[in-house]
Amino acid sequence: MTAQSSTNLASDSWALADLLRGDFKQSQYGRIILPFSLLRRLECVLEPTKATVLAEFERIQTMALAEEAQEKFLLRATSGLAFFNTSKMDLATLGEAGIKDNLESYIHSFSRDAREIFEHFKFVEFIGLLSDANLLYKIVQRVRTMDLSPASVSNHDMGLVFEELIRRFAEGSNETAGEHFTPRDIVRLTTALVFMEDDSALTQPGIIRTVYDPTAGTGGFLSSGMEYVHELNPQTVMRAYGQELNPESYAICKADMLIKGQEVNNIKLGNTLSNDQLGAEKFDYMLSNPPFGVDWKKIEEDIKTENSQKGFDGRFGAGLPRVSDGSLLFLMHLLSKMRGAEEGGGRIGIILNGSPLFTGGAGSGESEIRRHILEADLLEAIVALPTDMFYNTGIATYVWVLSNKKAKPRQGKVQLINGVNLCGKMRKSLGSKRNVMDETDIATIIRSFGAFEVVDARTLDKPDEPKSNRGRQAANPKAAVAKTFSSKVFASHEFGYRRIAIERPLRESYQFSAERIAELRFANKPLKAPMQWLYETYGQHWLDGASAAATDDGYDFGDLATHEASIRKHIKAHFSELKERQVKDLLNTDIWHEHLSLLRNAEKLQQFFGTEPYNDMNQYDSQLKQAQQAQQVVLSTSDKKKLLAAISWKNPDAAKVIKKLHKATPAQPLYGLFAGSGASQGQTVEYKPDGDLRDNENVALDPSTGVNALNEAYFIKEVQPHVADAWIDAGKTDPKDGEIGLVGYEIPFNRHFYQYQPPRDLVAIDADLDKVSAEIMALLREVHS
């Protein structure tokens, strides 16, 4: 059956909506059509063995067995199926009178696992609603005529039908179809990439393998994995495992596995990240399409607890990504599920958006996760897919292929495959999906991956993108970009770098000018602005200084008690960020007297320093000590900090500020230890760094060269010629290897495949501009005339 045939069959099923219209909301259509279609499929699958099952059921009725024991007997009569139905009725014989009770009895007669599927659809509830609307019999009569037998519709095609029904349901209920299933062309590609390396092993007799999807959806990946292996070797036993969050998708996945004879207890319902229900299991193959860019705030506490308490003994030891995107959490979850290399190893295929490639700098959770993957040599390849491939998004997406059993030629290397142009336009878009990969496109990627080859940009036989005919057309349009395919191979360390901190010396000046020391009347932020307002509004009559000290009844400096109500009202309206504790400080005279005292002391010190600027901060401490003695001024440590903050500023023309002088330490100018001169002759000088001038440089990793030698060579070549007094901060080291600089990893996919397109010739651009200008002038003349 073709994809179009599957769509037509889904349309026939969706035609039930004509009966529902008016009595049910559009968002409810899927909750009725999906379980009825599933019910008919199960009935068609059971039909060949129905008589045998009924006969066996009659036989064991007299044995008074428990339900579990009965099921074991009845399953033997199904010829290998994993479910049964013991009702003598079917959809064709339910009758019109009492159809509600008959249908409910029919559903209840399924085996336990099949019954659970309908419970997740809340099917009995909708049976009641249909009965109340006098629609139940009509729906049943329409459904019973559908031929959904395995002879007419294969399991693969039935999966396509269910996916199309879910897509229509999602559109009608304002849900996202792509959260429930992955387009089959992407499924085929990802499955082939994961399984093809083991083709020879999978053809051996007696092979048993496991496949797992932590975001199972409707089971498309699990089904595809089983189909792939079955085509290679029908005797291979493939056991499917999965977990799904959405109840309806879980129900369809479980039904699909039930029909295929899988152990449905291996399909779990729940959140994989916060409640892994297959915690002890390890798998041979894993396939997943986790949701793109979905935050994990709801389960943040669970994830962080596992990370901090279990480390690498849990799933998230490598690090945690930002809360806004949980894609890499699913990747780490899969890595923890890989069968050990000593047991045959495991392989992973996961679809991610562009964010996990490069988001997060050195030391971030994302970078540390990439570091773990690349340094453990787990990443085999990344394939860039075309845009507009998914039902719910048109963004760029990538297939990551990982393994802990790399073939020897792949060890220490990563293949990047640029398949963004390997697609064709769909005849009719499905949601955001406008492009589709055919078998030829998929084969191109598979061959390149299998050959582990480097392919220079090769032009593809693909039609150019249709140009828009809207708006003004350029007389000399830009040439169309050629559609190409390419593949590159990199050593794993080539994606790594070491971020070194580059410091420059602090240069400061200071000045005891009236304007600068006047700032000492007010506290620092956040109290500075409200204090200035209070002083301007209420402080004009305050007595301060010597006159206040000589007055017995007029000394009210900083007393705001009589205006408290109006002050609080203004603060609430204009300084709402202030807390109650800070408001009380503003209303307390102590803070005003404290800052007034500091202002008066600064005025005394001004008599010693004068009002001229000083451009050598290294003399400040000794001069301040002399000034305090001369003017008999006592300053606390806190007062000194406030004073310095008010009178000093950064000045690129000032002298460098010395942090420390070393007597027995050799000079190392690359690391901030400079040979002294003048008064510091014979000593090694360490300068204070200027935080505003601090910079970071990324030095590419190279295992063949020592870290310090690599950093120094980069610094001498790229930094020192431009900033002669800069140095490397040797105190910033990587917490894992202890070397200078913080290690980071990123995979700049687009940068490696960027193709330069020269701009149009200036003459052609000028000609277009002249033409447009002439047309505008002609229009203006018409307006004026």
Side-chain angles (χ1 to χ4, degrees):
M1 181 182 288
T2 64
Q4 187 60 38
S5 300
S6 300
T7 302
N8 293 338
L9 185 54
S11 298
D12 292 341
S13 299
W14 199 259
L16 293 173
D18 294 335
L19 296 174
L20 302 174
R21 195 167 289 114
D23 292 283
F24 291 87
K25 298 177 183 178
Q26 188 176 357
S27 60
Q28 294 176 306
Y29 293 173
R31 301 186 189 279
I32 297 171
I33 296 170
L34 274 167
F36 264 113
S37 301
L38 183 58
L39 176 59
R40 178 57 181 159
R41 174 63 171 183
L42 295 178
E43 182 176 272
C44 290
V45 171
L46 289 175
E47 188 174 355
T49 61
K50 183 70 178 276
T52 307
V53 170
L54 290 178
E56 181 67 4
F57 183 60
E58 286 288 335
R59 188 182 72 81
I60 65 175
Q61 281 293 88
T62 59
M63 298 182 183
L65 299 175
E67 182 183 6
E68 186 175 346
Q70 285 189 23
E71 285 204 357
K72 291 182 179 179
F73 277 104
L74 293 172
L75 286 174
R76 294 175 186 173
T78 62
S79 301
L81 294 177
F83 64 105
F84 56 81
N85 187 295
T86 58
S87 174
K88 294 180 180 180
M89 297 181 289
D90 56 24
L91 291 176
T93 60
L94 290 176
E96 185 172 2
I99 189 171
K100 174 179 177 293
D101 293 336
N102 290 341
L103 182 55
E104 290 179 1
S105 174
Y106 181 44
I107 297 295
H108 187 72
S109 298
F110 275 103
S111 51
R112 184 173 47 201
D113 288 322
R115 283 201 311 270
E116 185 192 24
I117 292 169
F118 293 100
E119 289 170 4
H120 286 295
F121 279 112
K122 299 181 180 178
F123 192 41
V124 172
E125 177 184 330
F126 281 99
I127 289 174
L129 293 174
L130 287 167
S131 179
D132 293 341
N134 294 319
L135 291 174
L136 184 56
Y137 181 72
K138 295 178 182 179
I139 292 288
V140 169
Q141 290 304 301
R142 184 78 66 87
V143 171
R144 75 180 184 84
T145 62
M146 297 179 185
D147 183 7
L148 300 182
S149 63
S152 299
V153 187
S154 68
N155 287 334
H156 172 83
D157 292 326
M158 198 65 222
L160 295 178
V161 172
F162 284 136
E163 288 176 3
E164 176 63 14
L165 289 175
I166 288 177
R167 189 189 65 79
R168 297 186 184 209
F169 168 44
E171 288 179 351
S173 60
N174 199 30
E175 290 188 8
T176 303
E179 292 179 359
H180 307 296
F181 60 91
T182 307
R184 282 304 173 107
D185 48 352
I186 304 301
V187 169
R188 288 198 302 274
L189 170 64
T190 308
T191 303
L193 289 170
V194 169
F195 282 86
M196 65 176 296
E197 289 288 289
D198 292 343
D199 280 357
S200 58
L202 291 172
T203 56
Q204 302 299 316
I207 294 296
I208 300 175
R209 291 288 186 269
T210 55
V211 59
Y212 170 65
D213 184 352
T215 54
T218 59
F221 264 136
L222 297 177
S223 296
S224 181
M226 290 186 285
E227 289 164 8
Y228 184 96
V229 174
H230 190 265
E231 290 173 6
L232 285 176
N233 181 4
Q235 306 306 314
T236 300
V237 176
M238 181 62 73
R239 292 173 180 161
Y241 295 76
Q243 189 163 334
E244 170 56 28
L245 181 62
N246 180 273
E248 281 111 350
S249 299
Y250 161 78
I252 291 178
C253 178
K254 189 168 184 178
D256 193 27
M257 296 301 109
L258 200 64
I259 293 169
K260 289 181 168 68
Q262 288 288 325
E263 176 56 61
V264 291
N265 286 332
N266 294 334
I267 309 300
K268 305 295 185 180
L269 176 64
N271 190 312
T272 303
L273 297 179
S274 62
N275 182 22
D276 177 17
Q277 297 181 42
L278 295 165
E281 301 290 343
K282 302 289 183 180
F283 305 104
D284 300 296
Y285 305 102
M286 285 160 280
L287 301 160
S288 179
N289 176 23
F292 299 150
V294 175
D295 71 61
W296 46 282
K297 195 166 186 62
K298 290 181 181 179
I299 56 174
E300 182 177 1
E301 185 177 349
D302 297 326
I303 300 298
K304 289 186 173 179
T305 299
E306 181 171 344
N307 168 259
S308 61
Q309 293 184 357
K310 295 185 178 181
F312 278 97
D313 291 332
R315 295 173 292 171
F316 310 118
L320 297 178
R322 60 199 65 195
V323 177
S324 59
D325 188 355
S327 298
L328 284 172
L329 292 178
F330 285 100
L331 178 52
M332 286 190 289
H333 170 80
L334 288 174
L335 291 173
S336 73
K337 296 289 189 180
M338 295 177 85
R339 195 177 298 283
E342 69 282 357
E343 299 176 341
R347 293 176 61 74
I348 295 171
I350 183 171
I351 301 167
L352 301 171
N353 63 5
S355 177
L357 292 170
F358 51 80
T359 299
S364 67
E366 293 90 348
S367 178
E368 287 299 293
I369 294 168
R370 291 190 292 266
R371 178 181 186 177
H372 169 68
I373 292 169
L374 289 163
E375 291 186 352
D377 198 19
L378 297 173
L379 183 60
E380 284 195 339
I382 298 177
V383 179
L385 300 175
T387 56
D388 300 322
M389 290 297 295
F390 291 84
Y391 300 107
N392 58 327
T393 181
I395 64 174
T397 51
Y398 303 81
V399 179
W400 291 45
V401 183
L402 303 98
S403 174
N404 59 358
K405 53 175 183 178
K406 280 187 174 184
K408 192 169 183 178
R410 291 184 180 273
Q411 291 176 6
K413 299 184 181 301
V414 176
Q415 183 179 10
L416 301 184
I417 300 175
N418 185 23
V420 296
N421 295 312
L422 288 171
C423 65
K425 290 292 180 185
M426 297 179 65
R427 189 177 65 180
K428 182 182 178 182
S429 299
L430 295 175
S432 296
K433 183 172 175 60
R434 300 177 179 86
N435 293 325
V436 64
M437 300 180 78
D438 61 26
E439 294 300 329
T440 303
D441 297 327
I442 293 173
T444 300
I445 293 175
I446 296 302
R447 281 195 297 268
S448 177
F449 175 76
F452 192 51
E453 61 181 354
V454 174
V455 179
D456 294 329
R458 184 179 72 208
T459 302
L460 298 169
D461 184 19
K462 296 283 185 181
D464 293 334
E465 293 291 330
K467 295 181 180 179
S468 172
N469 55 8
R470 299 177 62 185
R472 186 182 306 280
Q473 302 297 308
N476 300 287
K478 191 175 180 179
V481 179
K483 292 189 174 184
T484 61
F485 169 79
S486 53
S487 168
K488 298 184 178 182
V489 176
F490 299 87
S492 297
H493 74 264
E494 292 183 77
F495 300 113
Y497 60 89
R498 194 174 290 273
R499 188 181 71 188
I500 57 174
I502 306 298
E503 300 285 9
R504 295 173 61 183
L506 176 67
R507 297 172 183 265
E508 282 186 318
S509 297
Y510 64 97
Q511 181 183 22
F512 278 81
S513 65
E515 294 81 4
R516 291 187 179 278
I517 63 176
E519 295 296 314
L520 295 170
R521 184 185 293 274
F522 312 111
N524 293 329
K525 292 180 180 179
L527 298 183
K528 183 175 182 180
M531 284 186 77
Q532 288 176 324
W533 171 77
L534 286 168
Y535 186 72
E536 292 169 2
T537 306
Y538 300 103
Q540 300 304 314
H541 66 285
W542 287 347
L543 296 174
D544 53 306
S547 58
T551 305
D552 293 330
D553 57 356
Y555 184 36
D556 62 350
F557 183 84
D559 186 2
L560 298 166
T562 57
H563 307 287
E564 182 174 350
S566 58
I567 289 172
R568 283 184 172 277
K569 183 177 180 181
H570 184 89
I571 289 176
K572 185 176 182 180
H574 297 87
F575 305 104
S576 57
E577 71 279 3
L578 293 184
K579 299 178 181 178
E580 175 60 23
R581 174 180 53 80
Q582 295 168 321
V583 175
K584 288 181 177 179
D585 286 342
L586 289 173
L587 297 171
N588 192 331
T589 58
D590 290 347
I591 193 172
W592 293 93
H593 287 295
E594 176 187 335
H595 283 273
L596 175 63
S597 175
L598 180 57
L599 172 63
R600 295 300 174 233
N601 282 332
E603 289 173 344
K604 293 178 183 178
L605 295 174
Q606 184 186 47
Q607 297 173 21
F608 178 88
F609 283 99
T611 60
E612 294 300 313
Y614 293 78
N615 292 328
D616 188 353
M617 186 59 74
N618 297 305
Q619 307 301 319
Y620 173 74
D621 287 338
S622 60
Q623 289 181 327
L624 178 62
K625 187 175 182 179
Q626 294 176 34
Q628 286 183 254
Q629 291 176 346
Q631 302 300 116
Q632 297 183 346
V633 172
V634 177
L635 296 174
S636 67
T637 302
S638 175
D639 286 342
K640 289 180 181 179
K641 289 181 179 179
K642 294 174 184 176
L643 175 64
L644 181 61
I647 65 168
S648 65
W649 72 96
K650 291 179 181 179
N651 181 3
D653 296 323
K656 303 173 188 177
V657 179
I658 296 174
K659 177 182 180 181
K660 190 175 182 180
L661 292 173
H662 302 267
K663 292 183 178 180
T665 303
Q668 290 183 291
L670 294 182
Y671 297 100
L673 296 175
F674 299 89
S677 60
S680 58
Q681 185 75 35
Q683 301 181 80
T684 300
V685 181
E686 180 183 353
Y687 295 108
K688 285 185 179 180
D690 187 338
D692 291 337
L693 298 179
R694 183 175 296 122
D695 196 8
N696 293 297
E697 294 287 334
N698 293 339
V699 182
L701 298 184
D702 184 353
S704 65
T705 306
V707 172
N708 289 347
L710 205 61
N711 290 343
E712 292 169 9
Y714 179 93
F715 179 84
I716 292 169
K717 180 182 178 181
E718 302 292 343
V719 178
Q720 207 169 50
H722 309 287
V723 192
D725 57 1
W727 69 88
I728 301 170
D729 183 355
K732 300 281 181 66
T733 59
D734 186 81
K736 289 187 177 179
D737 63 20
E739 301 281 5
I740 295 173
L742 201 59
V743 173
Y745 279 85
E746 66 177 11
I747 305 173
F749 200 104
N750 291 338
R751 186 196 309 166
H752 289 305
F753 291 96
Y754 173 73
Q755 289 180 283
Y756 173 73
Q757 296 295 323
R760 289 195 300 149
D761 189 88
L762 286 176
V763 175
I765 297 174
D766 286 340
D768 282 343
L769 290 173
D770 291 341
K771 182 180 178 181
V772 173
S773 298
E775 291 177 2
I776 293 173
M777 294 304 297
L779 291 171
L780 289 174
R781 283 193 292 270
E782 289 181 14
V783 173
H784 286 296
S785 64

